[in-house]
Amino acid sequence: MGSLKGWPASTLVLLFGLFWFVPRANPARVAKPGASPPREPPAGAIALASAPEQKTPLALPFEGAWGVVQGMDSGGTHGGYAAYAIDFVPAEPVSESAFRKRKRLADHPCYGKPILAPADGRVVWAKDGARELPPFRESRKHEAGNFVILEHAPDEFSEFRHLQRGSVAVEVGDKVRAGQVIGRCGNSGNAVTPHLHFGFLGSYQPIATRPMRFSNYQVMVAQGVWKNGDGEPKKGQIVRAIPSPIQ
């Protein structure tokens, strides 16, 4: 589909009736010697394609059915150190014209949704207080936004970006349990519309994503029909946690 007028650097993604904008890539900055304390960890040069076997079982970091709008190494802004990150938004049927009319952050179903720790861990970085731009506006410079990084095991970290201002519920040093709310979905940093950017990292100093596998989730294959996922949520899929048995 063509770009919106005034958005030549953006791509409009259609996902089972979901529309979402991929912003122009503004990579994280590499810290300069003698500079003031960084607002975020520096970006690595590459992703860790040959990382050791994953030890941490990862659950989906949200409740309900969400769509994958950028998958691992699927282009867009997911290249280089971010090649194995995934972007999620809640799944919903919506027309393009209705989507374009969502001028307030609260009009987007992702905004304010709880974001959950995918496994037990410890907070190694947490930032809050960054601004959020209105939908469809793009910062012309790199912005760290509000985010959390958890350590789950040696060389295994999870990263959550674009969180809602004032929603970060953890501090550096906190221990968290799988399923605990760590923040809420927002539009901070280099986001154009609210979504969750999730990365599984082999390093956070500098940031470098690595391949990941999720556990205990399902993929929608037809309306109301679900099958167990293969571990790698892919662009265009709608996913959810396997429902708990009814007691």
Side-chain angles (χ1 to χ4, degrees):
M1 302 180 69
S3 300
L4 285 180
K5 183 178 180 180
W7 288 90
S10 301
T11 303
L12 184 61
V13 177
L14 171 62
L15 168 69
F16 287 93
L18 283 165
F19 296 90
W20 184 78
F21 290 91
V22 180
R24 179 181 60 246
N26 283 316
R29 306 303 189 200
V30 177
K32 297 180 179 180
S36 58
R39 297 180 180 178
E40 62 181 329
I46 58 173
L48 303 177
S50 59
E53 181 178 356
Q54 179 178 329
K55 298 177 181 178
T56 304
L58 294 176
L60 293 175
F62 43 75
E63 296 177 338
W66 289 48
V68 180
V69 289
Q70 278 200 94
M72 289 185 265
D73 210 14
S74 63
T77 58
H78 289 178
Y81 70 94
Y84 296 104
I86 299 179
D87 286 344
F88 295 101
V89 295
E92 57 153 1
V94 62
S95 68
E96 180 181 352
S97 60
F99 181 81
R100 293 186 184 193
K101 293 177 182 177
R102 292 176 172 174
K103 304 301 183 183
R104 302 179 305 161
L105 293 174
D107 294 335
H108 292 259
C110 188
Y111 194 68
K113 284 281 193 291
I115 302 303
L116 314 177
D120 293 350
R122 180 178 65 90
V123 181
V124 295
W125 205 295
K127 183 179 183 298
D128 203 343
R131 69 173 182 166
E132 295 178 281
L133 293 175
F136 312 119
R137 284 185 55 190
E138 184 180 355
S139 174
R140 295 303 175 184
K141 62 180 181 179
H142 173 75
E143 295 190 23
N146 305 310
F147 65 94
V148 171
I149 299 177
L150 305 178
E151 180 180 28
H152 303 290
D155 302 322
E156 294 191 356
F157 307 84
S158 57
E159 176 190 34
F160 312 80
R161 291 274 180 168
H162 311 310
L163 300 180
Q164 183 183 45
R165 183 175 185 176
S167 77
V168 174
V170 294
E171 298 179 350
V172 172
D174 287 353
K175 293 183 178 180
V176 300
R177 301 298 302 270
Q180 179 178 332
V181 176
I182 59 171
R184 294 183 180 273
C185 187
N187 199 50
S188 63
N190 291 112
V192 176
T193 56
H195 68 282
L196 172 65
H197 172 101
F198 178 86
F200 190 53
L201 312 180
S203 165
Y204 80 100
Q205 293 277 23
I207 292 176
T209 59
R210 50 158 292 166
M212 62 180 140
R213 298 188 65 81
F214 286 91
S215 303
N216 301 317
Y217 78 96
Q218 296 177 325
V219 177
M220 190 177 78
V221 294
Q223 186 66 39
V225 180
W226 299 83
K227 70 173 185 179
N228 289 344
D230 64 6
E232 182 184 327
K234 298 173 179 63
K235 181 178 179 179
Q237 289 183 337
I238 291 177
V239 298
R240 70 176 185 183
I242 293 177
S244 299
I246 299 177
Q247 300 295 326

